[in-house]
Amino acid sequence: MEFLVNNLAPIMFFNLIVFLLFGFPVAFSLAATGVVYGLVAIDLNLMSPLLFQALPQRIFGIVSNDSLLAVPFFTFMGLILERSGMAEDLLDTVGRLFGPLRGGLAIAVVFVGALLAATTGVVSASVISMGLISLPIMLRYGYDRRLAAGVIAASGTLSQIIPPSLVLIVLADQLGRSIGDMYRGAMLPGLLLAGAYMVYVFVVAFLRPSYAPALPPEARGEVDARGRRGLRSLVVLTVIAAAVAHWGSQYYFRSHADIPVDERVVIILLIWGVAALAMALGNKLLRLGWLSSLAEQVVFVMIPPLALIFLVLGTIFIGVATPTEGGAMGAVGALIMAVSRRRFSMSQLRQAMESTARLTCFVIFILVGSTIFSLSFRGINGDIWVEQLLLHVPGGELGFLIVVSLITFFLAFFLDFFELAFIIVPLLGPVADKMGIDLIWFGVLLAVNMQTSFVHPPFGFALFYLRSVAPKEDYHDRVTGKLIRKVTTAQIYWGSIPFIVIQVLMVIAVLSFPGMVTHYKSAAPTINPDSVTFGQDSAYGQDTYGSGDAGGGFQ
């Protein structure tokens, strides 16, 4: 009995892990563990029964949290875009651009994966779309199966680190920080991770040309009478639009000199996109013939998702909208894009709404279970046990971060990112805060690490998604007529390992260079304490709540 009293917190935590490893639902495992051990603690006089009276208020706080509205909005936006055919158009267009390069198809997959991440934020939609569209083409032209499977699975997981990621919303909520700041902090590591994937493909294509061959000339798209693909007009269009964006942004910045870097980037990209779209529309409507079909295709296919990215992330970064409002605008924008592509139906809308409701209920139920668990765990001083355990790790702050990263990495073999976010983050966040660690940086570090849970053999969800659409039997290609060998599960697993290594290296980079994340602070307003005065020229009492003599004011 004395052993149980002294070690109830670690026994409770270990029991939860056992339940999860046996496959019990996460929400009910959390709630049941919290209730049972709470009753045991009350019986042992380790916790007051009055503590359970706080549960209704905590649960009401979850369902009334406005920030969590971003989850259904971004999920709905991603599901509508998945059904609008945007992924197919993007892969076709970007494939035409990079096809002549060795490894060009794989680079196109990474590029489109980053774009889909910034618009959908849903891993399953990205992996399944690219697996259905890109994998048969890559197999048709002789790509190594491990490379093709790995690049598709890893590119799909970019949805978990590039905003508007659902995991970033959950992490910001669990850490008590702004979703907008979490988005700003995660943007650069996410883009660098996509760049690292491209560099890896370049290296493989250079060292092993047979693993990632260039597309043959007949598969590179249309050419003009002179045998040219139309890249020249695309380059000219890009340069002219960039010049317009430069001069237009300079005019804007003269009257807005103090805006942060991320807002400057958003403004420049907005002007560039508007200029390119205007020139392409003018060329098409007036039939000028100045642009090639490739240039027009690139503009008309790439600008709409970029406009949607601006509508969501741009308005958040420049402070026009909150993440919840940005998600709502993104959902409406996705509906408009689907209607404009004539790929919208009531059945698709119903499916998207049902899937959104299912995922949102999943998140809310896990949050409720996590709240019950954390209430009992803190009631028996489990938070103090975790704090003492981690504060005495050798190496201080760096040792703590290394240990947390290792724990997260190994737990990712068995738990997905939702389970990790709701179980370990509430325990680690207070300890990191007490050590003076920036919680946005800490959250992004965890997000990059949790991303590995999608490509970890043997339980990585991205691997399962790809397995569901990869060919399980040999087949004859409908274009070339060649016999294409099946993709085995072992090839998918082996193909993911180099990308897991890249993700781990990104964790080390974020850990070593905090400025990759903490640049978000440059957007925060600064207040000079000397300029703050109290009790002068009262700001209160000028309305229906009282007269001007009612009290002091704040300026």
Side-chain angles (χ1 to χ4, degrees), residues 9-10 13 373 377-378 380-393 400 403-404 407 423-432 435:
F13 186 76
F373 177 84
F377 195 71
R378 291 172 186 272
I380 60 176
N381 296 323
D383 55 332
I384 297 177
W385 168 68
V386 173
E387 182 179 310
Q388 294 300 319
L389 194 66
L390 294 175
L391 286 177
H392 290 89
V393 169
F400 165 77
V403 169
V404 166
I407 291 173
I423 295 172
I424 70 169
V425 173
L427 302 178
L428 300 176
V431 182
M435 298 181 74

PDB file of all heavy atoms in Angstrom, residues 9-10 13 373 377-378 380-393 400 403-404 407 423-432 435:
ATOM      1  N   ALA A   9       1.351   8.146  -9.384  1.00  0.00           N
ATOM      2  CA  ALA A   9       1.458   8.911 -10.635  1.00  0.00           C
ATOM      3  C   ALA A   9       2.171   8.118 -11.731  1.00  0.00           C
ATOM      4  O   ALA A   9       1.630   7.984 -12.845  1.00  0.00           O
ATOM      5  CB  ALA A   9       2.147  10.244 -10.382  1.00  0.00           C
ATOM      6  N   PRO A  10       3.378   7.570 -11.476  1.00  0.00           N
ATOM      7  CA  PRO A  10       4.018   6.780 -12.550  1.00  0.00           C
ATOM      8  C   PRO A  10       3.235   5.531 -12.915  1.00  0.00           C
ATOM      9  O   PRO A  10       3.204   5.142 -14.090  1.00  0.00           O
ATOM     10  CB  PRO A  10       5.396   6.429 -11.974  1.00  0.00           C
ATOM     11  CG  PRO A  10       5.316   6.699 -10.521  1.00  0.00           C
ATOM     12  CD  PRO A  10       4.291   7.754 -10.332  1.00  0.00           C
ATOM     13  N   PHE A  13       0.470   6.694 -15.301  1.00  0.00           N
ATOM     14  CA  PHE A  13       0.977   6.990 -16.638  1.00  0.00           C
ATOM     15  C   PHE A  13       1.333   5.709 -17.383  1.00  0.00           C
ATOM     16  O   PHE A  13       1.012   5.551 -18.572  1.00  0.00           O
ATOM     17  CB  PHE A  13       2.190   7.913 -16.535  1.00  0.00           C
ATOM     18  CG  PHE A  13       2.705   8.401 -17.856  1.00  0.00           C
ATOM     19  CD1 PHE A  13       2.042   9.391 -18.562  1.00  0.00           C
ATOM     20  CD2 PHE A  13       3.840   7.853 -18.424  1.00  0.00           C
ATOM     21  CE1 PHE A  13       2.493   9.833 -19.786  1.00  0.00           C
ATOM     22  CE2 PHE A  13       4.307   8.284 -19.646  1.00  0.00           C
ATOM     23  CZ  PHE A  13       3.635   9.280 -20.334  1.00  0.00           C
ATOM     24  N   PHE A 373      -7.977  13.035 -17.683  1.00  0.00           N
ATOM     25  CA  PHE A 373      -6.711  12.413 -17.276  1.00  0.00           C
ATOM     26  C   PHE A 373      -5.811  13.421 -16.562  1.00  0.00           C
ATOM     27  O   PHE A 373      -5.264  13.134 -15.487  1.00  0.00           O
ATOM     28  CB  PHE A 373      -5.999  11.848 -18.496  1.00  0.00           C
ATOM     29  CG  PHE A 373      -4.644  11.255 -18.195  1.00  0.00           C
ATOM     30  CD1 PHE A 373      -4.535   9.954 -17.736  1.00  0.00           C
ATOM     31  CD2 PHE A 373      -3.491  12.005 -18.364  1.00  0.00           C
ATOM     32  CE1 PHE A 373      -3.290   9.410 -17.453  1.00  0.00           C
ATOM     33  CE2 PHE A 373      -2.245  11.475 -18.082  1.00  0.00           C
ATOM     34  CZ  PHE A 373      -2.143  10.166 -17.622  1.00  0.00           C
ATOM     35  N   PHE A 377      -4.333  13.386 -12.843  1.00  0.00           N
ATOM     36  CA  PHE A 377      -2.872  13.272 -12.788  1.00  0.00           C
ATOM     37  C   PHE A 377      -2.272  14.416 -11.984  1.00  0.00           C
ATOM     38  O   PHE A 377      -1.363  14.211 -11.168  1.00  0.00           O
ATOM     39  CB  PHE A 377      -2.318  13.260 -14.216  1.00  0.00           C
ATOM     40  CG  PHE A 377      -0.889  12.804 -14.316  1.00  0.00           C
ATOM     41  CD1 PHE A 377      -0.554  11.479 -14.097  1.00  0.00           C
ATOM     42  CD2 PHE A 377       0.121  13.701 -14.638  1.00  0.00           C
ATOM     43  CE1 PHE A 377       0.765  11.046 -14.189  1.00  0.00           C
ATOM     44  CE2 PHE A 377       1.428  13.285 -14.736  1.00  0.00           C
ATOM     45  CZ  PHE A 377       1.756  11.948 -14.510  1.00  0.00           C
ATOM     46  N   ARG A 378      -2.788  15.626 -12.192  1.00  0.00           N
ATOM     47  CA  ARG A 378      -2.298  16.765 -11.408  1.00  0.00           C
ATOM     48  C   ARG A 378      -2.792  16.681  -9.963  1.00  0.00           C
ATOM     49  O   ARG A 378      -2.121  17.149  -9.048  1.00  0.00           O
ATOM     50  CB  ARG A 378      -2.752  18.074 -12.054  1.00  0.00           C
ATOM     51  CG  ARG A 378      -2.090  18.366 -13.383  1.00  0.00           C
ATOM     52  CD  ARG A 378      -2.716  19.571 -14.064  1.00  0.00           C
ATOM     53  NE  ARG A 378      -2.190  19.773 -15.410  1.00  0.00           N
ATOM     54  CZ  ARG A 378      -1.114  20.489 -15.698  1.00  0.00           C
ATOM     55  NH1 ARG A 378      -0.456  21.091 -14.721  1.00  0.00           N
ATOM     56  NH2 ARG A 378      -0.694  20.606 -16.935  1.00  0.00           N
ATOM     57  N   ILE A 380      -2.957  14.107  -8.122  1.00  0.00           N
ATOM     58  CA  ILE A 380      -2.056  13.241  -7.336  1.00  0.00           C
ATOM     59  C   ILE A 380      -0.604  13.690  -7.507  1.00  0.00           C
ATOM     60  O   ILE A 380       0.330  12.912  -7.266  1.00  0.00           O
ATOM     61  CB  ILE A 380      -2.209  11.773  -7.749  1.00  0.00           C
ATOM     62  CG1 ILE A 380      -1.880  11.569  -9.229  1.00  0.00           C
ATOM     63  CG2 ILE A 380      -3.609  11.275  -7.451  1.00  0.00           C
ATOM     64  CD1 ILE A 380      -1.917  10.115  -9.681  1.00  0.00           C
ATOM     65  N   ASN A 381      -0.427  14.953  -7.942  1.00  0.00           N
ATOM     66  CA  ASN A 381       0.910  15.565  -8.082  1.00  0.00           C
ATOM     67  C   ASN A 381       1.762  14.868  -9.139  1.00  0.00           C
ATOM     68  O   ASN A 381       2.994  14.827  -9.033  1.00  0.00           O
ATOM     69  CB  ASN A 381       1.649  15.576  -6.741  1.00  0.00           C
ATOM     70  CG  ASN A 381       0.956  16.446  -5.706  1.00  0.00           C
ATOM     71  OD1 ASN A 381       0.405  17.498  -6.045  1.00  0.00           O
ATOM     72  ND2 ASN A 381       0.953  16.014  -4.456  1.00  0.00           N
ATOM     73  N   GLY A 382       1.095  14.336 -10.169  1.00  0.00           N
ATOM     74  CA  GLY A 382       1.852  13.728 -11.262  1.00  0.00           C
ATOM     75  C   GLY A 382       2.661  14.734 -12.037  1.00  0.00           C
ATOM     76  O   GLY A 382       3.752  14.418 -12.529  1.00  0.00           O
ATOM     77  N   ASP A 383       2.141  15.984 -12.131  1.00  0.00           N
ATOM     78  CA  ASP A 383       2.895  17.017 -12.827  1.00  0.00           C
ATOM     79  C   ASP A 383       4.195  17.331 -12.101  1.00  0.00           C
ATOM     80  O   ASP A 383       5.224  17.610 -12.727  1.00  0.00           O
ATOM     81  CB  ASP A 383       2.042  18.277 -12.990  1.00  0.00           C
ATOM     82  CG  ASP A 383       1.500  18.774 -11.662  1.00  0.00           C
ATOM     83  OD1 ASP A 383       1.307  17.967 -10.743  1.00  0.00           O
ATOM     84  OD2 ASP A 383       1.270  19.993 -11.546  1.00  0.00           O
ATOM     85  N   ILE A 384       4.149  17.276 -10.767  1.00  0.00           N
ATOM     86  CA  ILE A 384       5.380  17.508  -9.990  1.00  0.00           C
ATOM     87  C   ILE A 384       6.366  16.364 -10.213  1.00  0.00           C
ATOM     88  O   ILE A 384       7.587  16.573 -10.309  1.00  0.00           O
ATOM     89  CB  ILE A 384       5.034  17.661  -8.497  1.00  0.00           C
ATOM     90  CG1 ILE A 384       4.146  18.895  -8.299  1.00  0.00           C
ATOM     91  CG2 ILE A 384       6.301  17.773  -7.655  1.00  0.00           C
ATOM     92  CD1 ILE A 384       3.683  19.081  -6.863  1.00  0.00           C
ATOM     93  N   TRP A 385       5.831  15.125 -10.289  1.00  0.00           N
ATOM     94  CA  TRP A 385       6.710  13.977 -10.567  1.00  0.00           C
ATOM     95  C   TRP A 385       7.406  14.131 -11.918  1.00  0.00           C
ATOM     96  O   TRP A 385       8.625  13.928 -12.028  1.00  0.00           O
ATOM     97  CB  TRP A 385       5.865  12.702 -10.546  1.00  0.00           C
ATOM     98  CG  TRP A 385       6.590  11.501 -11.086  1.00  0.00           C
ATOM     99  CD1 TRP A 385       7.653  10.861 -10.522  1.00  0.00           C
ATOM    100  CD2 TRP A 385       6.303  10.822 -12.314  1.00  0.00           C
ATOM    101  NE1 TRP A 385       8.041   9.812 -11.328  1.00  0.00           N
ATOM    102  CE2 TRP A 385       7.239   9.766 -12.427  1.00  0.00           C
ATOM    103  CE3 TRP A 385       5.352  10.981 -13.308  1.00  0.00           C
ATOM    104  CZ2 TRP A 385       7.235   8.895 -13.508  1.00  0.00           C
ATOM    105  CZ3 TRP A 385       5.344  10.110 -14.384  1.00  0.00           C
ATOM    106  CH2 TRP A 385       6.275   9.088 -14.473  1.00  0.00           C
ATOM    107  N   VAL A 386       6.659  14.520 -12.970  1.00  0.00           N
ATOM    108  CA  VAL A 386       7.253  14.723 -14.293  1.00  0.00           C
ATOM    109  C   VAL A 386       8.259  15.864 -14.253  1.00  0.00           C
ATOM    110  O   VAL A 386       9.356  15.775 -14.828  1.00  0.00           O
ATOM    111  CB  VAL A 386       6.150  15.009 -15.339  1.00  0.00           C
ATOM    112  CG1 VAL A 386       6.762  15.399 -16.671  1.00  0.00           C
ATOM    113  CG2 VAL A 386       5.249  13.803 -15.504  1.00  0.00           C
ATOM    114  N   GLU A 387       7.889  16.937 -13.542  1.00  0.00           N
ATOM    115  CA  GLU A 387       8.774  18.102 -13.465  1.00  0.00           C
ATOM    116  C   GLU A 387      10.084  17.747 -12.790  1.00  0.00           C
ATOM    117  O   GLU A 387      11.168  18.087 -13.293  1.00  0.00           O
ATOM    118  CB  GLU A 387       8.050  19.205 -12.692  1.00  0.00           C
ATOM    119  CG  GLU A 387       8.835  20.504 -12.582  1.00  0.00           C
ATOM    120  CD  GLU A 387       8.033  21.554 -11.823  1.00  0.00           C
ATOM    121  OE1 GLU A 387       6.858  21.773 -12.159  1.00  0.00           O
ATOM    122  OE2 GLU A 387       8.606  22.144 -10.881  1.00  0.00           O
ATOM    123  N   GLN A 388      10.020  17.055 -11.653  1.00  0.00           N
ATOM    124  CA  GLN A 388      11.243  16.681 -10.952  1.00  0.00           C
ATOM    125  C   GLN A 388      12.069  15.697 -11.777  1.00  0.00           C
ATOM    126  O   GLN A 388      13.305  15.727 -11.756  1.00  0.00           O
ATOM    127  CB  GLN A 388      10.889  16.062  -9.593  1.00  0.00           C
ATOM    128  CG  GLN A 388      10.253  17.037  -8.625  1.00  0.00           C
ATOM    129  CD  GLN A 388      11.155  18.217  -8.323  1.00  0.00           C
ATOM    130  OE1 GLN A 388      12.367  18.080  -8.146  1.00  0.00           O
ATOM    131  NE2 GLN A 388      10.565  19.412  -8.306  1.00  0.00           N
ATOM    132  N   LEU A 389      11.370  14.844 -12.511  1.00  0.00           N
ATOM    133  CA  LEU A 389      12.069  13.855 -13.329  1.00  0.00           C
ATOM    134  C   LEU A 389      12.875  14.536 -14.431  1.00  0.00           C
ATOM    135  O   LEU A 389      14.034  14.164 -14.707  1.00  0.00           O
ATOM    136  CB  LEU A 389      11.043  12.903 -13.942  1.00  0.00           C
ATOM    137  CG  LEU A 389      11.545  11.600 -14.556  1.00  0.00           C
ATOM    138  CD1 LEU A 389      12.123  10.691 -13.479  1.00  0.00           C
ATOM    139  CD2 LEU A 389      10.409  10.893 -15.286  1.00  0.00           C
ATOM    140  N   LEU A 390      12.288  15.566 -15.052  1.00  0.00           N
ATOM    141  CA  LEU A 390      12.928  16.206 -16.204  1.00  0.00           C
ATOM    142  C   LEU A 390      13.862  17.345 -15.795  1.00  0.00           C
ATOM    143  O   LEU A 390      14.817  17.633 -16.513  1.00  0.00           O
ATOM    144  CB  LEU A 390      11.853  16.722 -17.161  1.00  0.00           C
ATOM    145  CG  LEU A 390      11.010  15.637 -17.836  1.00  0.00           C
ATOM    146  CD1 LEU A 390       9.898  16.250 -18.662  1.00  0.00           C
ATOM    147  CD2 LEU A 390      11.874  14.739 -18.714  1.00  0.00           C
ATOM    148  N   LEU A 391      13.571  17.997 -14.665  1.00  0.00           N
ATOM    149  CA  LEU A 391      14.457  19.086 -14.240  1.00  0.00           C
ATOM    150  C   LEU A 391      15.817  18.573 -13.792  1.00  0.00           C
ATOM    151  O   LEU A 391      16.799  19.323 -13.788  1.00  0.00           O
ATOM    152  CB  LEU A 391      13.805  19.884 -13.104  1.00  0.00           C
ATOM    153  CG  LEU A 391      12.654  20.810 -13.507  1.00  0.00           C
ATOM    154  CD1 LEU A 391      12.049  21.472 -12.272  1.00  0.00           C
ATOM    155  CD2 LEU A 391      13.127  21.874 -14.495  1.00  0.00           C
ATOM    156  N   HIS A 392      15.880  17.301 -13.420  1.00  0.00           N
ATOM    157  CA  HIS A 392      17.154  16.742 -12.962  1.00  0.00           C
ATOM    158  C   HIS A 392      17.889  16.000 -14.071  1.00  0.00           C
ATOM    159  O   HIS A 392      18.849  15.273 -13.808  1.00  0.00           O
ATOM    160  CB  HIS A 392      16.905  15.796 -11.781  1.00  0.00           C
ATOM    161  CG  HIS A 392      16.491  16.498 -10.524  1.00  0.00           C
ATOM    162  ND1 HIS A 392      15.177  16.777 -10.219  1.00  0.00           N
ATOM    163  CD2 HIS A 392      17.223  17.014  -9.503  1.00  0.00           C
ATOM    164  CE1 HIS A 392      15.108  17.410  -9.061  1.00  0.00           C
ATOM    165  NE2 HIS A 392      16.334  17.567  -8.615  1.00  0.00           N
ATOM    166  N   VAL A 393      17.432  16.173 -15.313  1.00  0.00           N
ATOM    167  CA  VAL A 393      18.148  15.575 -16.433  1.00  0.00           C
ATOM    168  C   VAL A 393      19.490  16.289 -16.605  1.00  0.00           C
ATOM    169  O   VAL A 393      19.544  17.530 -16.579  1.00  0.00           O
ATOM    170  CB  VAL A 393      17.311  15.703 -17.726  1.00  0.00           C
ATOM    171  CG1 VAL A 393      18.142  15.332 -18.947  1.00  0.00           C
ATOM    172  CG2 VAL A 393      16.087  14.818 -17.642  1.00  0.00           C
ATOM    173  N   PHE A 400      17.315  18.613 -21.334  1.00  0.00           N
ATOM    174  CA  PHE A 400      15.867  18.430 -21.309  1.00  0.00           C
ATOM    175  C   PHE A 400      15.312  18.322 -22.724  1.00  0.00           C
ATOM    176  O   PHE A 400      14.515  17.424 -23.026  1.00  0.00           O
ATOM    177  CB  PHE A 400      15.220  19.601 -20.560  1.00  0.00           C
ATOM    178  CG  PHE A 400      13.737  19.727 -20.767  1.00  0.00           C
ATOM    179  CD1 PHE A 400      12.857  18.888 -20.113  1.00  0.00           C
ATOM    180  CD2 PHE A 400      13.221  20.695 -21.615  1.00  0.00           C
ATOM    181  CE1 PHE A 400      11.487  18.998 -20.303  1.00  0.00           C
ATOM    182  CE2 PHE A 400      11.860  20.826 -21.812  1.00  0.00           C
ATOM    183  CZ  PHE A 400      10.990  19.967 -21.146  1.00  0.00           C
ATOM    184  N   VAL A 403      16.332  14.968 -24.360  1.00  0.00           N
ATOM    185  CA  VAL A 403      15.568  13.842 -23.817  1.00  0.00           C
ATOM    186  C   VAL A 403      14.133  13.867 -24.333  1.00  0.00           C
ATOM    187  O   VAL A 403      13.576  12.836 -24.733  1.00  0.00           O
ATOM    188  CB  VAL A 403      15.603  13.873 -22.274  1.00  0.00           C
ATOM    189  CG1 VAL A 403      14.595  12.885 -21.698  1.00  0.00           C
ATOM    190  CG2 VAL A 403      16.991  13.547 -21.769  1.00  0.00           C
ATOM    191  N   VAL A 404      13.510  15.053 -24.348  1.00  0.00           N
ATOM    192  CA  VAL A 404      12.138  15.179 -24.846  1.00  0.00           C
ATOM    193  C   VAL A 404      12.073  14.776 -26.322  1.00  0.00           C
ATOM    194  O   VAL A 404      11.144  14.081 -26.752  1.00  0.00           O
ATOM    195  CB  VAL A 404      11.626  16.612 -24.643  1.00  0.00           C
ATOM    196  CG1 VAL A 404      10.354  16.858 -25.440  1.00  0.00           C
ATOM    197  CG2 VAL A 404      11.371  16.872 -23.169  1.00  0.00           C
ATOM    198  N   ILE A 407      12.321  10.978 -26.510  1.00  0.00           N
ATOM    199  CA  ILE A 407      11.080  10.341 -26.067  1.00  0.00           C
ATOM    200  C   ILE A 407      10.008  10.462 -27.144  1.00  0.00           C
ATOM    201  O   ILE A 407       9.313   9.490 -27.474  1.00  0.00           O
ATOM    202  CB  ILE A 407      10.608  10.978 -24.740  1.00  0.00           C
ATOM    203  CG1 ILE A 407      11.556  10.620 -23.599  1.00  0.00           C
ATOM    204  CG2 ILE A 407       9.184  10.522 -24.407  1.00  0.00           C
ATOM    205  CD1 ILE A 407      11.256  11.342 -22.303  1.00  0.00           C
ATOM    206  N   ILE A 423      -1.271  13.765 -24.975  1.00  0.00           N
ATOM    207  CA  ILE A 423      -0.784  13.029 -23.808  1.00  0.00           C
ATOM    208  C   ILE A 423       0.493  13.632 -23.242  1.00  0.00           C
ATOM    209  O   ILE A 423       0.579  13.944 -22.046  1.00  0.00           O
ATOM    210  CB  ILE A 423      -0.561  11.548 -24.166  1.00  0.00           C
ATOM    211  CG1 ILE A 423      -1.894  10.882 -24.515  1.00  0.00           C
ATOM    212  CG2 ILE A 423       0.099  10.801 -23.014  1.00  0.00           C
ATOM    213  CD1 ILE A 423      -1.759   9.485 -25.065  1.00  0.00           C
ATOM    214  N   ILE A 424       1.506  13.833 -24.094  1.00  0.00           N
ATOM    215  CA  ILE A 424       2.798  14.262 -23.548  1.00  0.00           C
ATOM    216  C   ILE A 424       2.958  15.774 -23.491  1.00  0.00           C
ATOM    217  O   ILE A 424       3.660  16.288 -22.624  1.00  0.00           O
ATOM    218  CB  ILE A 424       3.966  13.631 -24.332  1.00  0.00           C
ATOM    219  CG1 ILE A 424       4.074  14.210 -25.742  1.00  0.00           C
ATOM    220  CG2 ILE A 424       3.841  12.127 -24.392  1.00  0.00           C
ATOM    221  CD1 ILE A 424       5.355  13.805 -26.449  1.00  0.00           C
ATOM    222  N   VAL A 425       2.310  16.512 -24.402  1.00  0.00           N
ATOM    223  CA  VAL A 425       2.503  17.968 -24.410  1.00  0.00           C
ATOM    224  C   VAL A 425       1.979  18.627 -23.141  1.00  0.00           C
ATOM    225  O   VAL A 425       2.646  19.504 -22.574  1.00  0.00           O
ATOM    226  CB  VAL A 425       1.870  18.592 -25.676  1.00  0.00           C
ATOM    227  CG1 VAL A 425       1.917  20.118 -25.615  1.00  0.00           C
ATOM    228  CG2 VAL A 425       2.585  18.101 -26.927  1.00  0.00           C
ATOM    229  N   PRO A 426       0.788  18.255 -22.614  1.00  0.00           N
ATOM    230  CA  PRO A 426       0.359  18.870 -21.348  1.00  0.00           C
ATOM    231  C   PRO A 426       1.294  18.584 -20.183  1.00  0.00           C
ATOM    232  O   PRO A 426       1.321  19.343 -19.207  1.00  0.00           O
ATOM    233  CB  PRO A 426      -1.027  18.237 -21.102  1.00  0.00           C
ATOM    234  CG  PRO A 426      -1.498  17.822 -22.445  1.00  0.00           C
ATOM    235  CD  PRO A 426      -0.263  17.386 -23.177  1.00  0.00           C
ATOM    236  N   LEU A 427       2.061  17.502 -20.278  1.00  0.00           N
ATOM    237  CA  LEU A 427       3.006  17.181 -19.217  1.00  0.00           C
ATOM    238  C   LEU A 427       4.330  17.904 -19.395  1.00  0.00           C
ATOM    239  O   LEU A 427       4.967  18.322 -18.413  1.00  0.00           O
ATOM    240  CB  LEU A 427       3.260  15.663 -19.188  1.00  0.00           C
ATOM    241  CG  LEU A 427       2.038  14.764 -18.982  1.00  0.00           C
ATOM    242  CD1 LEU A 427       2.453  13.300 -19.037  1.00  0.00           C
ATOM    243  CD2 LEU A 427       1.355  15.078 -17.669  1.00  0.00           C
ATOM    244  N   LEU A 428       4.755  18.081 -20.650  1.00  0.00           N
ATOM    245  CA  LEU A 428       6.065  18.681 -20.912  1.00  0.00           C
ATOM    246  C   LEU A 428       6.014  20.195 -20.973  1.00  0.00           C
ATOM    247  O   LEU A 428       6.994  20.863 -20.652  1.00  0.00           O
ATOM    248  CB  LEU A 428       6.612  18.134 -22.240  1.00  0.00           C
ATOM    249  CG  LEU A 428       6.819  16.622 -22.322  1.00  0.00           C
ATOM    250  CD1 LEU A 428       7.278  16.229 -23.718  1.00  0.00           C
ATOM    251  CD2 LEU A 428       7.828  16.157 -21.279  1.00  0.00           C
ATOM    252  N   GLY A 429       4.873  20.759 -21.431  1.00  0.00           N
ATOM    253  CA  GLY A 429       4.766  22.203 -21.599  1.00  0.00           C
ATOM    254  C   GLY A 429       5.070  22.999 -20.344  1.00  0.00           C
ATOM    255  O   GLY A 429       5.887  23.939 -20.367  1.00  0.00           O
ATOM    256  N   PRO A 430       4.455  22.680 -19.181  1.00  0.00           N
ATOM    257  CA  PRO A 430       4.753  23.447 -17.958  1.00  0.00           C
ATOM    258  C   PRO A 430       6.216  23.377 -17.553  1.00  0.00           C
ATOM    259  O   PRO A 430       6.774  24.359 -17.037  1.00  0.00           O
ATOM    260  CB  PRO A 430       3.841  22.791 -16.913  1.00  0.00           C
ATOM    261  CG  PRO A 430       2.726  22.181 -17.694  1.00  0.00           C
ATOM    262  CD  PRO A 430       3.356  21.720 -18.972  1.00  0.00           C
ATOM    263  N   VAL A 431       6.846  22.224 -17.751  1.00  0.00           N
ATOM    264  CA  VAL A 431       8.269  22.094 -17.400  1.00  0.00           C
ATOM    265  C   VAL A 431       9.113  22.995 -18.302  1.00  0.00           C
ATOM    266  O   VAL A 431      10.018  23.702 -17.826  1.00  0.00           O
ATOM    267  CB  VAL A 431       8.723  20.628 -17.519  1.00  0.00           C
ATOM    268  CG1 VAL A 431      10.190  20.493 -17.117  1.00  0.00           C
ATOM    269  CG2 VAL A 431       7.848  19.729 -16.658  1.00  0.00           C
ATOM    270  N   ALA A 432       8.813  22.981 -19.614  1.00  0.00           N
ATOM    271  CA  ALA A 432       9.560  23.846 -20.544  1.00  0.00           C
ATOM    272  C   ALA A 432       9.357  25.313 -20.199  1.00  0.00           C
ATOM    273  O   ALA A 432      10.302  26.112 -20.248  1.00  0.00           O
ATOM    274  CB  ALA A 432       9.108  23.559 -21.978  1.00  0.00           C
ATOM    275  N   MET A 435      11.422  26.339 -17.276  1.00  0.00           N
ATOM    276  CA  MET A 435      12.846  26.448 -17.603  1.00  0.00           C
ATOM    277  C   MET A 435      13.145  27.666 -18.470  1.00  0.00           C
ATOM    278  O   MET A 435      14.292  27.887 -18.853  1.00  0.00           O
ATOM    279  CB  MET A 435      13.309  25.176 -18.316  1.00  0.00           C
ATOM    280  CG  MET A 435      13.190  23.916 -17.474  1.00  0.00           C
ATOM    281  SD  MET A 435      13.774  22.419 -18.310  1.00  0.00           S
ATOM    282  CE  MET A 435      15.547  22.669 -18.246  1.00  0.00           C
TER     283      MET A 435
END
